[in-house]
Amino acid sequence: MPLRVIGGSARGFVLRTPSGDETRPTSARLRESLFGMLEAAGTPLDSVVDLYAGSGALGIEALSRGAGHCLFVESSRQACRVIRQNLERTRFAAHARVTTARVGRWRAPDGAAFSLVLADPPYDDAAAWSAIDRSIASALGDEAVIAVEHAARTDAPPSLAGCERWRERRQGDGAIAVYRRIPIDHAHSEES
């Protein structure tokens, strides 16, 4: 079944995927669940980063739904070429940047304040959680949301990069853990 953009201005566009088994695109049902949660939470889409980007499907979905800019981080040069092709096909190239780098070694640019972090690491990479934390911990906006796809059989950590786990959805073999910053006023009112 072809990989398609499922919502927004590029809805229905077929996306290319890198050849081989190195990437596992997020299923349409899981992407739909994720973006439904993000929309319900009023997640700002000003500045998005797509880590372990693969085909770029998650970041392109965010752009299609109104994200201002998306930075794609992917270690495979072949996958980066595919992401660039998908950005051209969907006409989002002017709103994106693709960086060939390994998550964990890559650090967000100085002054970055991402409003949404999307990450789809390999399911068997136990070090992915700490790699994500190292790459983005100092580059999150005040209302930042982090969404990480992981194997449904594993539990996501309760916090990531200073954000608390807010929601989790399981769909088949995959799951999405969504983290949000707890506003300072809300945290103080709960302590009282």
Side-chain angles (χ1 to χ4, degrees):
M1 179 171 221
L3 179 65
R4 295 181 186 273
V5 179
I6 54 174
S9 63
R11 181 183 182 156
F13 271 83
V14 175
L15 300 177
R16 292 190 172 109
T17 57
S19 61
D21 297 345
E22 289 186 27
T23 60
R24 172 203 24 79
T26 303
S27 74
R29 291 181 77 186
L30 208 49
R31 278 184 287 138
E32 189 65 51
S33 290
L34 167 62
F35 282 93
M37 284 189 287
L38 297 176
E39 186 177 326
T43 303
L45 299 177
D46 308 326
S47 181
V48 178
V49 61
D50 184 352
L51 304 175
Y52 304 94
S55 66
L58 287 175
I60 289 171
E61 193 71 45
L63 289 166
S64 181
R65 293 168 185 255
H69 185 268
C70 186
L71 172 59
F72 296 83
V73 180
E74 170 57 51
S75 62
S76 163
R77 292 187 188 287
Q78 179 208 14
C80 286
R81 282 191 295 277
V82 169
I83 294 167
R84 288 184 185 97
Q85 291 169 358
N86 285 333
L87 288 166
E88 290 294 332
R89 292 174 59 123
T90 56
R91 298 188 179 99
F92 292 132
H95 302 281
R97 194 174 89 202
V98 180
T99 299
T100 307
R102 185 171 301 282
V103 176
R105 290 186 189 152
W106 174 82
R107 297 293 189 271
D110 288 342
F114 297 116
S115 57
L116 176 60
V117 177
L118 302 165
D120 185 7
Y123 282 179
D124 60 355
D125 184 357
W129 298 99
S130 59
I132 293 166
D133 190 288
R134 283 193 308 276
S135 286
I136 60 152
S138 63
L140 297 175
D142 292 337
E143 298 178 44
V145 172
I146 305 168
V148 181
E149 183 174 353
H150 63 94
R153 67 183 181 280
T154 62
D155 293 325
S159 63
L160 180 64
C163 297
E164 299 297 317
R165 191 173 61 215
W166 171 61
R167 294 260 165 89
E168 192 162 13
R169 280 279 154 80
R170 295 178 189 280
Q171 184 73 45
D173 293 339
I176 296 270
V178 180
Y179 297 83
R180 294 193 324 182
R181 285 193 186 268
I182 296 176
I184 293 170
D185 293 343
H186 180 70
H188 287 302
S189 66
E190 286 186 353
E191 290 172 4
S192 304

